[in-house]
Amino acid sequence: MADLFDTTENDTQREGGKPAPRPLADRLRPQSLGDVIGQEQVLGPDAPLGTMLASGSLGSLILWGPPGVGKTTIARLLARETDLHFIQISAIFTGVPELRKVFEAARHRRSNGQGTLLFVDEIHRFNKAQQDGFLPHMEDGTILLVGATTENPSFELNAAVLSRAQVLVLKRLTLADLERLVQRAEQELGQALPLTGEAREALLEMADGDGRALLNLVEQVAAWNVDEKLDVAGLSSRLMRRAAIYDKSGDEHFNLISALHKSVRGSDPDAALYWLARMLTGGEDPRYLARRITRMAVEDIGLADLQAHRVCLDAWETYERLGSPEGELALAQAVAYLALAPKSNAAYAAYKSAMSAAKKTGSEPPPSHILNAPTQLMKDQGFGEGYAYDHDAPDGFSGQNYFPDGMKRGVYYLPVERGFERELKKRVDYFARLRAKRSE
């Protein structure tokens, strides 16, 4: 019987038997894994897929990478290399009834001695129950699953699916990869692109690592009727740059905010401003950035620079008053300030250590000498008895114990020799010496 989701390649026919025109990207689709441009880290002889194919032990896979890097092509070629029937579905358009038909057809095919490679595009769009539905068919060999996702599988796919499939990371194509793709396209078209060298480089950059997007751009450029080669300005006036990949709730969001945070922590204002600009041009909410920038101040600068968090709050307020795009300059100034400020996470580390100690000690009460005694009953119980009023002590420091009775004194705050914390470290050491002296 014919498969509902059969994707066997056939040229679409026009009336009269003539094949319909095929897009350049389709005409250049690789016919073997060796023709795939890029992804050597996956396809090379010693890479995961090369090793699997050489040993004849291909297992289920999750292909994780940005758009236009060859996920669908690789899946199709894997089916061809292993003589498996190739079925492609999209999680966006496929529901439970359609999945049942796919599995039933695969079982029928298997009973006739034919295996099935089921390629699921956007597999992360399936919910937990739908993902669980693949498991029995993967385990009994009815299907070999190859899923494609642009989202981090660790967060989007069930642990049970991940335990039965190997995750392979595909990378955005390099400029060298894209140039090879253009050369292959020019051979197919039988003509060179009417571009200067600089314009050609600009075309590659417009694709932003996406091979499919590049071939669409090449097809447009090749169709232009121009008398001489176009320069960058001529190209830019005819083509819009491809929008940068940025999903405010996906991997790119978390990857870029991580890059911004770590650039600030690493005292690199240029890199920090670059990642800030990447997020803003991608459409990130400046208020989210204002909050995260303020967090950087309290987490990574802390008491080493007492102005840092104030600079961030002022920048945040300035943005609220000015709005975009002028207010974003205040955020940029805050980022540059934080990157160049002295760094310390001593207070942050002290807070986490204190929280850990608090959880371990549970409900231990404070020592009775530092408890208030507003009633006679409480005084009779010894509350407040023996309390030393620090202002009456030498140097304004009594050195009394303020931890619960029987609890070993904790040492959590360890200021660093940077910025204002250098002065705070002197004070910590000073009081430590006084405390030791008082206890003699």
Side-chain angles (χ1 to χ4, degrees):
M1 65 177 180
D3 291 320
L4 179 63
F5 298 89
D6 198 326
T7 58
T8 302
E9 298 178 25
N10 290 305
D11 286 336
T12 302
Q13 300 289 318
R14 288 179 173 176
E15 292 184 9
K18 294 182 180 179
R22 295 167 57 200
L24 181 61
D26 185 49
R27 286 149 56 191
L28 288 179
R29 191 181 295 277
Q31 299 303 304
S32 71
L33 289 171
D35 294 334
V36 175
I37 292 177
Q39 314 309 334
E40 286 80 5
Q41 79 285 354
V42 168
L43 297 172
D46 298 324
L49 276 182
T51 303
M52 287 184 193
L53 292 172
S55 63
S57 59
L58 183 65
S60 291
L61 305 168
I62 301 297
L63 304 180
W64 173 28
V69 296
K71 295 186 290 292
T72 303
T73 294
I74 289 174
R76 187 185 298 275
L77 294 176
L78 285 175
R80 184 176 299 176
E81 296 267 349
T82 54
D83 293 325
L84 295 175
H85 190 85
F86 181 77
I87 299 295
Q88 177 178 350
I89 62 174
S90 170
I92 299 174
F93 303 111
T94 306
V96 172
E98 290 84 5
L99 283 175
R100 289 192 184 123
K101 293 178 182 178
V102 168
F103 297 143
E104 181 182 353
R107 279 194 298 271
H108 177 76
R109 204 176 294 112
R110 186 184 179 210
S111 66
N112 292 327
Q114 173 73 57
T116 300
L117 187 151
L118 175 60
F119 175 65
V120 183
D121 198 15
E122 303 288 345
I123 190 172
H124 61 277
R125 301 290 188 114
F126 277 136
N127 61 35
K128 183 180 186 301
Q130 289 171 318
Q131 291 182 31
D132 285 342
F134 288 102
L135 300 179
H137 308 290
M138 295 168 65
E139 291 173 347
D140 67 11
T142 299
I143 62 168
L144 188 147
L145 176 67
V146 177
T149 178
T150 55
E151 300 294 330
N152 191 327
S154 302
F155 303 134
E156 303 295 339
L157 297 184
N158 294 352
V161 172
L162 289 177
S163 69
R164 293 163 174 80
Q166 183 171 347
V167 176
L168 301 181
V169 181
L170 304 186
K171 300 179 180 179
R172 66 194 301 271
L173 299 182
T174 65
L175 289 178
D177 293 333
L178 295 174
E179 173 59 28
R180 289 174 57 198
L181 196 54
V182 171
Q183 293 176 10
R184 187 176 292 180
E186 288 174 326
Q187 291 179 354
E188 171 67 23
L189 294 168
Q191 67 179 83
L193 295 182
L195 301 174
T196 65
E198 291 182 350
R200 190 181 182 95
E201 291 179 7
L203 181 71
L204 302 183
E205 292 172 354
M206 284 182 178
D208 197 24
D210 185 328
R212 182 169 51 246
L214 175 66
L215 291 177
N216 290 338
L217 294 174
V218 167
E219 198 161 20
Q220 294 180 57
V221 173
W224 294 340
N225 185 15
V226 294
D227 296 329
E228 57 185 23
K229 291 184 177 181
L230 296 172
D231 58 13
V232 175
L235 175 69
S236 300
S237 68
R238 289 169 170 81
L239 283 180
M240 293 292 291
R241 180 182 179 88
R242 179 177 179 269
I245 299 171
Y246 191 77
D247 181 350
K248 287 187 283 185
S249 63
D251 283 348
E252 286 302 307
H253 165 84
F254 296 107
N255 289 343
L256 267 60
I257 193 60
S258 176
L260 172 57
H261 196 151
K262 289 180 173 63
S263 298
V264 167
R265 183 182 295 154
S267 301
D268 190 334
D270 298 316
L273 288 169
Y274 169 76
W275 293 118
L276 174 71
R278 279 282 300 273
M279 296 190 79
L280 288 171
T281 56
E284 184 57 73
D285 183 358
R287 292 178 178 85
Y288 167 80
L289 289 166
R291 183 179 70 80
R292 287 299 300 253
I293 291 166
T294 305
R295 173 188 166 181
M296 296 172 201
V298 297
E299 181 177 327
D300 288 294
I301 295 168
L303 298 175
D305 185 335
L306 300 181
Q307 296 187 86
H309 81 281
R310 186 67 258 172
V311 168
C312 295
L313 292 175
D314 287 345
W316 195 341
E317 182 178 357
T318 300
Y319 175 80
E320 294 293 351
R321 289 177 179 271
L322 290 180
S324 295
E326 294 87 352
E328 292 163 359
L329 177 58
L331 300 182
Q333 291 171 348
V335 165
Y337 185 94
L338 296 188
L340 295 172
K343 306 298 189 297
S344 172
N345 73 337
Y348 180 47
Y351 169 73
K352 292 196 295 184
S353 297
M355 287 292 289
S356 177
K359 292 175 182 177
K360 289 179 181 178
T361 52
S363 302
E364 288 286 346
S368 59
H369 64 272
I370 63 171
L371 296 177
N372 289 330
T375 68
Q376 186 59 47
L377 175 62
M378 297 173 77
K379 291 179 181 177
D380 293 341
Q381 294 296 318
F383 285 18
E385 183 177 345
Y387 173 63
Y389 188 56
D390 285 81
H391 292 290
D392 294 337
D395 304 308
F397 181 75
S398 68
Q400 280 196 312
N401 175 54
Y402 299 103
F403 282 92
D405 291 331
M407 176 181 171
K408 183 179 178 181
R409 175 179 177 78
V411 178
Y412 309 131
Y413 181 50
L414 300 171
V416 299
E417 290 278 1
R418 290 189 291 276
F420 184 70
E421 276 204 333
R422 183 180 293 109
E423 297 301 316
L424 296 181
K425 186 177 189 305
K426 293 178 183 178
R427 300 181 194 182
V428 168
D429 294 342
Y430 169 73
F431 288 123
R433 289 193 299 271
L434 285 182
R435 189 176 293 109
K437 184 177 180 181
R438 299 286 190 270
S439 65
E440 291 178 354

